[in-house]
Amino acid sequence: LGGIHSTLMPECITENPRLDAVCVGEGEYPALDLVEALEKGQPYDTIRNLWVRRKDGTIAHNPTRPFMEDIDSLPFPDRELFDYQEIIHTDFDLALFMFSRGCPYRCTFCSNHAIREKQEGPYVRFRSVPNCMDEIREVTTRYKVGALYFNDDCFTAKQDWMNEFCSTYKRKFKLPFDINARPETLSDEVCRMLKDAGCRRVSIGIENGSEQFRRDVLNRRQTNDQIAAGFEACRRAGLRTKSFNIVGFPHETPAIHLETVELNARINPDSVIIGIFEPYPGTKL
């Protein structure tokens, strides 16, 4: 088992006898080490990042290796494992990409603040722009695609990288793309650059409309004026917007939720996503 749950709650291996091993943190090289050990008939209960159930029933709790710093060295996702053309078709002709790992923010409801503590080294890492362009080229020449979705946690988190990406992308590709961003990173200059490069929509997390609740419970410290300014900058640049919201947080009341409704009415996004809070084991909330 790998992913967020096994990273934040590796103890789940003790609760489920059907699990032979769980991965804590990034899994590419632990998985490679595991299959190579299995292929050679070698022991695999000392592989870093893995908790392994031994034959005698005891659990090996191995330490983690540092975060990968050179994520350009990884191969592109193997989209041939599935009918990726059908996946694109059923997702509004969108092809999905991620060009970074980690998030610089520490929202209490999100897994990022907890995952970053599981391994050593830099947590937020971006691939080089040429590497990103190579993957886009591979996908858009192999599949019929109508638009691209760059699903990084915050596409606008690293200004110099975004500047290089936008200037390079508009020279090489004409397909429209969508991104995710934090509202306080969206100035008029940034939004004009995104629009000029081919961006059509920006998805922005609000989560809750109360400044005090966001600050005290969610560790999100932007003001409502900053949120509104981000949406206004998108609108002035001709970018469509989507707001992400969550209902059902601990300590949330109907009156606090009404502030979320009122803030959405103020910013008037083109579309709205409303999620129900689900507590991830291992996170602050």
Side-chain angles (χ1 to χ4, degrees):
L1 179 70
I4 292 172
H5 189 90
S6 67
T7 294
L8 300 187
M9 287 289 290
E11 299 84 0
C12 66
I13 191 173
T14 66
E15 302 166 0
N16 188 341
R18 295 175 183 268
L19 284 173
D20 300 305
V22 299
C23 183
V24 179
E26 294 177 328
E28 287 89 355
Y29 280 98
L32 180 61
D33 291 347
L34 175 62
V35 296
E36 287 182 343
L38 290 170
E39 184 179 55
K40 297 173 183 176
Q42 296 175 346
Y44 53 86
D45 61 350
T46 60
I47 295 173
R48 288 186 298 169
N49 290 65
L50 297 188
W51 285 27
V52 179
R53 187 186 305 278
R54 301 187 181 98
K55 291 182 179 180
D56 64 3
T58 60
I59 306 297
H61 306 86
N62 294 306
T64 57
R65 62 196 80 195
F67 286 113
M68 291 185 58
E69 293 195 35
D70 178 19
I71 56 176
D72 274 14
S73 64
L74 292 171
F76 300 145
D78 185 359
R79 293 172 170 89
E80 294 297 303
L81 286 169
F82 311 99
D83 186 349
Y84 192 64
Q85 186 63 68
E86 180 62 18
I87 292 172
I88 292 172
H89 176 68
T90 56
D91 195 20
F92 307 102
D93 292 328
L94 277 172
L96 190 73
F97 298 83
M98 290 192 74
F99 300 134
S100 64
R101 288 194 175 184
C103 178
Y105 304 101
R106 295 177 180 264
C107 305
T108 57
F109 58 87
C110 179
S111 60
N112 275 295
H113 72 271
I115 291 174
R116 71 192 307 149
E117 304 300 328
K118 295 295 184 178
Q119 296 175 254
E120 295 180 347
Y123 180 58
V124 180
R125 294 144 292 158
F126 280 76
R127 289 158 52 186
S128 70
V129 169
N131 181 262
C132 301
M133 297 298 134
D134 287 346
E135 185 182 5
I136 294 171
R137 178 70 66 191
E138 177 181 286
V139 172
T140 55
T141 54
R142 182 175 295 180
Y143 303 101
K144 184 178 179 181
V145 178
L148 312 178
Y149 185 11
F150 306 148
N151 199 22
D152 303 87
D153 288 341
C154 184
F155 186 83
T156 53
K158 191 176 180 182
Q159 180 80 43
D160 56 347
W161 180 90
M162 187 194 68
N163 294 348
E164 182 187 354
F165 185 97
C166 287
S167 63
T168 306
Y169 182 87
K170 72 177 184 179
R171 294 196 310 267
K172 295 179 176 291
F173 302 100
K174 301 301 180 185
L175 286 168
F177 63 87
D178 304 337
I179 66 163
N180 306 316
R182 289 267 294 210
E184 63 267 42
T185 67
L186 295 169
S187 63
D188 283 323
E189 178 185 4
V190 166
C191 290
R192 285 194 298 266
M193 181 187 307
L194 288 167
K195 178 67 175 180
D196 184 56
C199 185
R200 63 177 185 177
R201 186 182 70 187
V202 182
S203 297
I204 304 169
I206 294 174
E207 316 313 352
N208 188 276
S210 166
E211 290 183 4
Q212 181 178 354
F213 188 88
R214 287 198 306 270
R215 182 182 65 250
D216 295 346
V217 179
L218 307 184
N219 195 32
R220 293 177 68 89
R221 300 181 179 277
Q222 69 273 84
T223 66
N224 283 356
D225 286 345
Q226 285 178 305
I227 291 173
F231 279 83
E232 289 164 5
C234 289
R235 191 170 294 111
R236 283 191 292 269
L239 296 167
R240 298 206 300 270
T241 58
K242 175 189 285 185
S243 72
F244 288 124
N245 306 268
I246 301 175
V247 61
F249 283 121
H251 315 297
E252 185 181 15
T253 65
I256 291 173
H257 176 64
L258 186 59
E259 293 188 60
T260 308
V261 177
E262 292 168 347
L263 181 56
N264 275 273
R266 174 184 174 185
I267 62 175
N268 193 27
D270 293 290
S271 58
V272 176
I273 296 294
I274 305 169
I276 298 173
F277 171 68
E278 296 182 16
Y280 288 4
T283 62
K284 289 183 178 179
L285 283 195

